[in-house]
């Protein structure tokens, strides 16, 4: 059976964006491929993945994300004779330094870990050309670009009316939102969602409502920020239950925000939410960094300076304050749908299949 002997290990749950990507990888491999998701903490996931590799003795292991659990399991698989493919979307060491979640020891060891992860792989699948250049600056490994994608069967551009009613949003109001994960960065007092709240507070438009469509440890901080800035009654918090629900909530949105820093962390990313905004035909306001700068028209880009730019929030708020009527936003956002078509996962499957067939 095609795909037999291929194991996909994913550093995320079944309902995560990484989980969705893993399923398309398995589809590209063939019906015999299997997937193991991370459904617990780091130590438990590491043990589960290593046991899976030892039991299956696969000929190819496809690692989705550069994480301790996936990389250690990949090293074990290679020791057993398997070929290893690493699929990554971030500059790992730079991201670890920025978020600070692994502490001083983690930041010190992250550069070596990142180099070892690339050296382990027979081929590295990256989400952007910029990330490919970053990988090749650290390791002499073949690189294949397969960007973040979306499932066209999940796209729902007409199902937002019910959510707007539940959120208490009228047809005359404009919803500015972010979709994704909210992992709090204490040093920068930042996670996705802060941009929404700062924009709503700074724009001072009573017809603008914020929607924070996220889950994660940053949510309590975001709620506190909304209260402190006096916009708690103008910001909706809604955690999508699953991928289909996220698309339905996105259909209730007029403007999607995508904020990336202008450093290696931001420049290498082609975040899945940007692709989703485009596929849903939403108007986008994004920092002029990386993939957004290449994909979006000028009216949707906001200048961002350096690795951290507190002034960005004021510039973003100015743009929100100047937004046109909802009809014009829908018209301009709708033009992104055709461009988004090349990111549909069915169109990306042949590139993934080629990677896996080359390793057969």
């Amino acid at each position: 059976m095609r795909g037999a002997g291929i194991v996909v290990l994913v550093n995320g749950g079944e309902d995560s964006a990484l989980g969705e990507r893993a399923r398309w990888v398995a589809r590209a491999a063939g019906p015999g491929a299997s997937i193991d998701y991370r459904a617990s903490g780091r130590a438990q996931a590491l043990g589960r993945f290593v046991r899976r590799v030892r039991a299956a003795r696969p000929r190819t292991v496809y690692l989705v994300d550069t994480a301790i659990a996936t990389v250690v399991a990949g090293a074990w698989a290679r020791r057993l004779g398997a070929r290893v493919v690493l699929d990554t979307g971030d500059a790992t060491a730079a991201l670890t330094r920025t978020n600070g979640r692994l502490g001083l020891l983690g930041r010190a060891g992250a550069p070596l870990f990142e180099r070892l992860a690339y050296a382990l792989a027979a081929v590295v699948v990256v989400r952007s050309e910029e990330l490919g250049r970053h990988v090749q600056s650290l390791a002499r490994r073949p690189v294949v670009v397969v960007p973040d994608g979306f499932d066209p069967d999940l796209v729902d551009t007409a199902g937002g009316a019910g959510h707007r009613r539940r959120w208490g949003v009228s047809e005359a109001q404009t919803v500015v939102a972010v979709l994704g994960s909210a992992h709090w960065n204490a040093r920068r007092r930042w996670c996705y969602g802060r941009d929404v709240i700062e924009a709503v507070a700074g724009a001072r438009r009573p017809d603008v409502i914020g929607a924070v469509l996220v889950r994660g440890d940053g949510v309590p901080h975001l709620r506190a920020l909304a209260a402190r800035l006096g916009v708690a009654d103008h910001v909706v918090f809604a955690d999508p239950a699953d991928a289909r629900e996220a698309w339905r909530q996105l259909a209730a949105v007029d403007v999607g925000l995508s904020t990336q820093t202008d450093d290696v962390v931001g420049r290498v990313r082609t975040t899945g939410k940007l692709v989703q905004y485009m596929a849903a035909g939403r108007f986008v306001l994004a920092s002029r960094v990386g993939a957004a700068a290449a994909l979006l028209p000028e009216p949707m880009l906001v200048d961002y300076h350096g690795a951290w730019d507190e002034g960005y929030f004021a510039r973003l708020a100015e743009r929100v304050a100047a937004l046109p009527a909802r009809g014009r936003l829908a018209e301009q956002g709708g033009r992104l749908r055709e461009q988004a078509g090349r990111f549909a996962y069915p169109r990306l499957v042949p590139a993934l299949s080629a990677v896996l067939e080359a390793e057969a």
Side-chain angles (χ1 to χ4, degrees):
M1 183 181 297
R2 194 171 68 88
I6 296 178
V7 171
V8 182
L9 303 179
V10 53
N11 184 46
E14 190 169 354
D15 63 345
S16 67
L18 292 178
E20 180 182 37
R21 187 173 178 90
R23 286 189 290 279
W24 284 97
V25 170
R27 185 177 300 192
S34 63
I35 307 174
D36 264 18
Y37 302 96
R38 174 174 173 170
S40 55
R42 185 183 300 119
Q44 294 92 335
L46 193 158
R48 174 185 172 88
F49 288 168
V50 169
R51 287 192 298 273
R52 179 75 177 89
V53 165
R54 291 174 64 184
R57 298 280 177 139
R59 58 181 173 82
T60 299
V61 171
Y62 193 107
L63 310 176
V64 182
D65 200 27
T66 309
I68 291 173
T70 51
V71 171
V72 171
W76 196 280
R78 179 170 169 175
R79 179 172 172 266
L80 295 176
R83 302 296 301 275
V84 177
V85 179
L86 174 63
D87 186 321
T88 184
D90 290 299
T92 304
L95 181 63
T96 301
R97 287 195 300 270
T98 297
N99 63 37
R101 278 186 281 164
L102 294 182
L104 182 61
L105 184 61
R107 291 196 298 274
L112 176 60
F113 175 77
E114 183 177 17
R115 288 176 181 271
L116 288 175
Y118 299 151
L120 169 73
V123 61
V124 181
V125 177
V126 296
R127 319 279 172 80
S128 71
E129 297 282 354
E130 185 70 25
L131 182 53
R133 288 188 284 272
H134 171 76
V135 170
Q136 291 187 318
S137 74
L138 298 177
R140 293 185 177 182
R141 284 292 181 267
V143 168
V144 177
V145 179
V146 183
D148 280 308
F150 68 94
D151 184 343
D153 290 339
L154 294 179
V155 177
D156 184 346
T157 60
H163 282 294
R164 290 180 74 95
R165 286 193 299 271
R166 281 189 285 277
W167 296 344
V169 176
S170 73
E171 286 301 305
Q173 291 176 306
T174 298
V175 177
V176 177
V178 67
L179 178 68
S181 299
H183 300 300
W184 185 247
N185 184 321
R187 182 165 62 89
R188 291 180 171 175
R189 296 178 294 108
W190 155 262
C191 66
Y192 292 128
R194 181 183 166 187
D195 41 6
V196 170
I197 295 167
E198 295 272 7
V200 170
R204 299 185 182 277
R205 276 181 55 168
D207 64 323
V208 171
I209 302 296
V212 181
L213 311 178
V214 303
R215 65 175 59 178
D217 61 7
V219 172
H221 298 276
L222 296 174
R223 289 185 181 274
L225 176 64
R228 190 163 62 250
L229 295 180
V231 294
D233 59 342
H234 272 65
V235 177
V236 174
F237 288 84
D239 175 4
D242 53 34
R244 192 171 295 277
E245 179 72 3
W247 281 102
R248 289 171 179 159
Q249 290 183 353
L250 193 54
V253 167
D254 300 297
V255 180
L257 301 188
S258 179
T259 302
Q260 299 297 327
T261 52
D262 192 10
D263 57 1
V264 65
V265 174
R267 288 193 294 267
V268 304
R269 308 190 83 190
T270 59
T271 63
K273 65 174 171 288
L274 175 60
V275 173
Q276 281 187 267
Y277 296 158
M278 294 172 65
R282 303 302 90 180
F283 188 91
V284 182
L285 284 175
S287 51
R288 193 190 303 274
V289 176
L295 293 171
L296 298 177
E298 181 63 27
M300 297 186 183
L301 297 172
V302 183
D303 288 339
Y304 195 106
H305 306 302
W308 183 249
D309 182 6
E310 282 284 340
Y312 175 77
F313 300 115
R315 291 191 292 277
L316 178 62
E318 289 176 3
R319 297 292 290 278
V320 170
L323 286 172
R326 289 187 65 214
R328 287 188 58 196
L329 292 173
E331 178 186 350
Q332 294 178 51
R335 297 173 192 158
L336 298 177
R337 286 197 191 114
E338 183 176 353
Q339 189 177 359
R342 65 190 176 101
F343 297 104
Y345 268 123
R347 294 195 183 184
L348 301 178
V349 161
L352 292 168
S353 294
V355 169
L356 291 161
E357 288 167 4
E359 300 308 317

